[in-house]
Amino acid sequence: MYSETRALVTTCSYRAFFLFTTDEVYRIVYEEVDESDVSLYTFPSSQSAGRDYEEYRFPRAGTPNAKSKLKLVQFRLSENLRITDVCIKELQCPLTFAFPWLEYIVRVGWTPDSRYVWAQLLDRPQQRLELVLLPVDNFCEIYSSSSSSPNCGTAATGGNGAGSQGAASYGSSPGQQPQHQHHHHHGQQQQQHHSHPPRKSSSGWRSPLDKSTTRPLQVIYTETSSSWVNVHDVLQFVELSEQEVTFLWASEESGFRHLYLVTSSLSPNGCSSSSSNNSTNHHSTNSHPTVHPKQQREGTHGTEVSSGGAGATDHSLPSMACIGSTLVARIVQKVTLTGGDWEVLGRNVWYDRARQLVYFMGLRETPLEKHLYVVSLAQPNQLRLLTMPGYSFTVEFNDDCTLFLQTYCNISTLPSWELVRIAHDSNTANGNGCSHGPTPPPTPIDALRLSSVGYLTEGGPSENTQYNPSIHSPQISSGDVLYAMVFKPHNFMLGVKYPTVLNVYGGPEVQTVSNTFKGMRQLRMHMLASQGYCVICVDSRGSRHRGVEFESYIRCRMGTVELSDQVEVLRILADQLGYIDMDRVAIHGWSYGGYLSLMGLVQYPEIFKVSIAGAPVTSWEYYDTGYTERYMDLPDSNRSGYAAGSVLNYIQKFPDE
C-alpha cells in the first residue's frame, strides 16, 4: 500500500473525530496521518535516558507535509459489552484522487442524520476550501483475498459495504485524471489489484463516481480567496434530503465574515449552468441568486446574493460535470443572514431548530466587544442584540437554546457569570401568528424574552481602579483607526515622563486590545507598570477582527510593515498623553511579538533602545508549513518576502552593547 512500509509503521498516527451509532452498529471516523515524507531533525537530548540526541519530524516551509486520509472503524457491542465484528473501511475514491490539489483536511464531522461524514478540504496555498459530504456507503472494507465480512458488507447504508480502491477501478470512469497524476501530487501509492477488473456486483467493486453508487461524494460549497481562507467552525445543517442540503455557513466573501443560509443540490444527474463558480472582490464562491427554501421561495422575505460573473475557479476536473457534477458544488439558493462592515465570530453559532432562530457572537457594536445576537431564518438581516453594550461577552447555550450562561466584563469591571433563560410568546414563537388588526404580529426575535435565573459569580469594579489600563483609538496616516491600550505607571505623577515598554504581538489571528478585564494573562504588563514603566499595546494592521483587507495587509511581507503602524501610534500617544519618554523606549513580546521585538532594533534603532524577545521566529524558512505558507506563500514563490522578513539577514545591524 505504501512504498516504505517500515517508515509508515514508525511515523503513522491517528486522530479520531466522532463516534456514531445506529442499530447497534458503532462507527468512528478518524484521520490516519503518514509522516514518512516529513523531514527528520535531530537535536541534543535534554534527558539522560541513555540517548545523546532526540529526533523530531518537522515540515518547515516549502518541504513535504504529512499525508492524511479519512478512515472508518466499524464494530458492534455484544451483550457483555465486548467489541465484536470490527472492520476498517476506507473511501472507495480517496480524497486525493477526487481532489488532486488537497493538502489539509481541516474539519470533519457527521451530519445530523448520520448518513454522511462532512469534511472541509484545503489546498496548500490555503486559498481554496471545499465543503464535502462523504456518504457512509462510500467507505468500503479494505481489500483482502477473502470474501468481505457480512457485517462490514451490510452495515453501511445502501448495503454496498465492500469495495476496493484498485487502480483499474479508477481508470474505468470517463474523464478521470490518470492515476500517476495523483501519485505525482502527493507521493502516495494506492492499492494495486490489477488481477481484479472493475465490475459491478454485490461485492461493491465500483468506479469511484459510478452512478450505481447510492450517494456519491458531494461538494456542497467552494470558497476561494486571493489572500487566504480563514477556516472556521460555523456549520449547522438545517435540512437534508436526497435532493438537497441546506446549511448555515460563514464566509468572508464580502470582506467581513458573515452568516449565510445555503442550499446545495445533491442530485448527481445532469449538468447545468448552476455548476459554475462566481467570484467576488476577495473571495470566490459558487453563489447564485437565492432565497430561503421555505418562506423565500414564495418571495416573502430575504436578501439575495447575486452571482458575480462567469466561473472564476478552475476545478481541474472538467469532465466531472458530465458524470453528474458531484465534484462541483451546485448552489441552488443562498441567503445573506448578516451583513455590514463588522465580523461574525468564527465559532459558537447555535441553531434553534424549532423556531428557526440563529444565535451567534459578533462585533457589530465595536471590534472591542463581543456580543450575542439573534437572527431569524424567516427575516434575514434583521438582528437583535441580546447583550449589553459597554461589556464584552462569552456565551454557552444548552442544546434546545432555552438557557445560556453568559460571562461578561469590561476593562474596569471584574467578570460576572450569569445564567439567562430564553422564553417566547406562544402565539408567535414559530413566526406564523395571526394578525387581528393593521399591526402585523411580532417577529420571532421580537417575541423573544430574556430573564435572569441567577449569578454564579457577580463581579464588580476592581479594587484599584487607577491601575486599570485605558483604551485609545488614534487614526494613522493611512486613514485606519487603530486601537491601543495604555497601562500607566503605578507611581504616576503629572508632569513626569516615564520609561515606556511597547508590548507587541503584531501578527495575525490575535487581538491584544479589547474592552475586557485585564487580569492573569496581563500580569507581566501589570508588573512592569508597578515598577514605574508605562506599558503600551497596539493592534496594528494584520491583527484579527477587523476584516479581510485589514488582516491581509501583511500578506507576503511579514516583519516589514507591522512596526510602522506600531511606531506611528506610539508617537501619537506620546504627543497626546505627555508622559511617555520617547528617549527611553523598550520593545517586548513573545512568539510573533518576539520576532517583531528583534525587528524593532533593526528597523527603528532610534526608537527602541532595548529589546526583550521571547521565543522569536528568526527566519520564516525554518517555520512550519501550515502557518508560514498561509501568510507568506511558498518560499519559491516569495523569495524576496522571505529574505526581507528574516532576522538572520540583519545580524550586522544589531547593537554590539
Side-chain angles (χ1 to χ4, degrees), residues 340-526:
D341 292 344
W342 55 276
E343 178 181 300
V344 172
L345 298 187
R347 60 180 60 187
N348 294 338
V349 170
W350 302 269
Y351 177 51
D352 184 341
R353 190 172 300 276
R355 298 173 180 85
Q356 295 191 343
L357 298 178
V358 181
Y359 298 91
F360 64 93
M361 301 298 293
L363 306 170
R364 187 183 68 171
E365 315 311 306
T366 167
L368 304 180
E369 296 175 5
K370 299 176 182 178
H371 286 283
L372 176 65
Y373 303 85
V374 62
V375 63
S376 170
L377 297 188
Q379 294 183 310
N381 269 313
Q382 295 187 24
L383 311 182
R384 179 175 169 184
L385 173 66
L386 300 179
T387 46
M388 184 184 302
Y391 297 83
S392 191
F393 290 76
T394 60
V395 171
E396 288 296 335
F397 274 80
N398 64 346
D399 289 340
D400 60 358
C401 295
T402 57
L403 286 170
F404 66 87
L405 178 66
Q406 64 180 14
T407 305
Y408 62 93
C409 62
N410 61 28
I411 204 161
S412 60
T413 307
L414 294 165
S416 296
W417 284 264
E418 183 184 14
L419 189 62
V420 179
R421 186 182 305 280
I422 301 177
H424 303 268
D425 188 320
S426 60
N427 294 325
T428 59
N430 294 320
N432 54 8
C434 297
S435 175
H436 299 286
T439 303
T443 65
I445 59 173
D446 293 334
L448 184 149
R449 301 191 306 276
L450 304 180
S451 59
S452 177
V453 176
Y455 284 86
L456 279 69
T457 301
E458 190 169 2
S462 57
E463 292 183 3
N464 298 297
T465 57
Q466 70 273 22
Y467 297 155
N468 295 327
S470 57
I471 293 178
H472 304 262
S473 53
Q475 185 177 40
I476 60 175
S477 56
S478 67
D480 293 282
V481 173
L482 304 185
Y483 293 102
M485 185 167 56
V486 178
F487 293 77
K488 279 185 180 180
H490 290 188
N491 60 345
F492 177 78
M493 295 177 59
L494 288 174
V496 178
K497 291 193 174 184
Y498 293 88
T500 298
V501 176
L502 178 66
N503 190 283
V504 63
Y505 183 81
E509 302 181 58
V510 170
Q511 181 187 40
T512 62
V513 182
S514 60
N515 190 22
T516 57
F517 189 77
K518 307 305 176 185
M520 293 290 292
R521 298 192 66 176
Q522 289 77 31
L523 280 181
R524 181 177 285 108
M525 286 175 267
H526 286 294

Side-chain angles (χ1 to χ4, degrees), residues 177-188:
Q177 295 197 358
Q179 190 178 3
H180 73 272
Q181 293 184 10
H182 166 60
H183 291 166
H184 174 74
H185 185 77
H186 282 275
Q188 177 176 334

Side-chain angles (χ1 to χ4, degrees), residues 145 189 204 211 363 392 410 595 639:
S145 57
Q189 292 186 348
K211 292 183 180 181
L363 306 170
S392 191
N410 61 28
Y595 165 63
R639 284 295 174 190

Side-chain angles (χ1 to χ4, degrees), residues 123-359:
D123 67 349
R124 178 135 191 181
Q126 302 183 52
Q127 295 178 321
R128 173 181 183 177
L129 182 140
E130 297 205 348
L131 179 59
V132 182
L133 291 185
L134 308 170
V136 173
D137 64 355
N138 276 220
F139 287 87
C140 300
E141 185 179 6
I142 296 177
Y143 173 79
S144 65
S145 57
S146 60
S147 301
S148 299
S149 164
N151 290 315
C152 287
T154 59
T157 307
N160 296 318
S164 167
Q165 50 182 28
S169 295
Y170 296 138
S172 63
S173 287
Q176 292 286 343
Q177 295 197 358
Q179 190 178 3
H180 73 272
Q181 293 184 10
H182 166 60
H183 291 166
H184 174 74
H185 185 77
H186 282 275
Q188 177 176 334
Q189 292 186 348
Q190 301 168 0
Q191 297 182 38
Q192 307 291 325
H193 305 298
H194 297 287
S195 60
H196 297 278
R199 62 184 183 272
K200 300 176 185 177
S201 68
S202 59
S203 67
W205 295 84
R206 303 184 291 254
S207 62
L209 293 176
D210 196 298
K211 292 183 180 181
S212 66
T213 302
T214 305
R215 290 186 296 270
L217 62 86
Q218 303 266 351
V219 175
I220 60 174
Y221 199 85
T222 299
E223 185 160 343
T224 61
S225 169
S226 59
S227 54
W228 61 80
V229 175
N230 282 312
V231 179
H232 58 74
D233 296 306
V234 179
L235 176 61
Q236 293 275 355
F237 288 93
V238 176
E239 293 183 23
L240 184 59
S241 68
E242 294 293 335
Q243 291 76 35
E244 293 180 347
V245 56
T246 300
F247 56 95
L248 292 167
W249 181 253
S251 170
E252 289 182 299
E253 63 184 66
S254 69
F256 291 83
R257 184 186 297 114
H258 282 292
L259 296 179
Y260 298 86
L261 183 68
V262 181
T263 298
S264 183
S265 173
L266 298 182
S267 174
N269 299 321
C271 306
S272 68
S273 61
S274 63
S275 299
S276 65
N277 290 336
N278 300 292
S279 62
T280 63
N281 292 335
H282 170 73
H283 285 59
S284 171
T285 60
N286 38 3
S287 58
H288 299 272
T290 58
V291 287
H292 181 257
K294 284 188 169 60
Q295 294 90 344
Q296 309 311 317
R297 284 176 183 170
E298 300 173 1
T300 55
H301 303 287
T303 301
E304 297 186 357
V305 179
S306 299
S307 59
T313 304
D314 177 13
H315 282 262
S316 71
L317 292 170
S319 59
M320 293 303 173
C322 300
I323 57 173
S325 302
T326 61
L327 296 189
V328 178
R330 289 152 295 140
I331 304 301
V332 177
Q333 300 170 344
K334 184 176 177 183
V335 178
T336 303
L337 296 178
T338 66
D341 292 344
W342 55 276
E343 178 181 300
V344 172
L345 298 187
R347 60 180 60 187
N348 294 338
V349 170
W350 302 269
Y351 177 51
D352 184 341
R353 190 172 300 276
R355 298 173 180 85
Q356 295 191 343
L357 298 178
V358 181
Y359 298 91

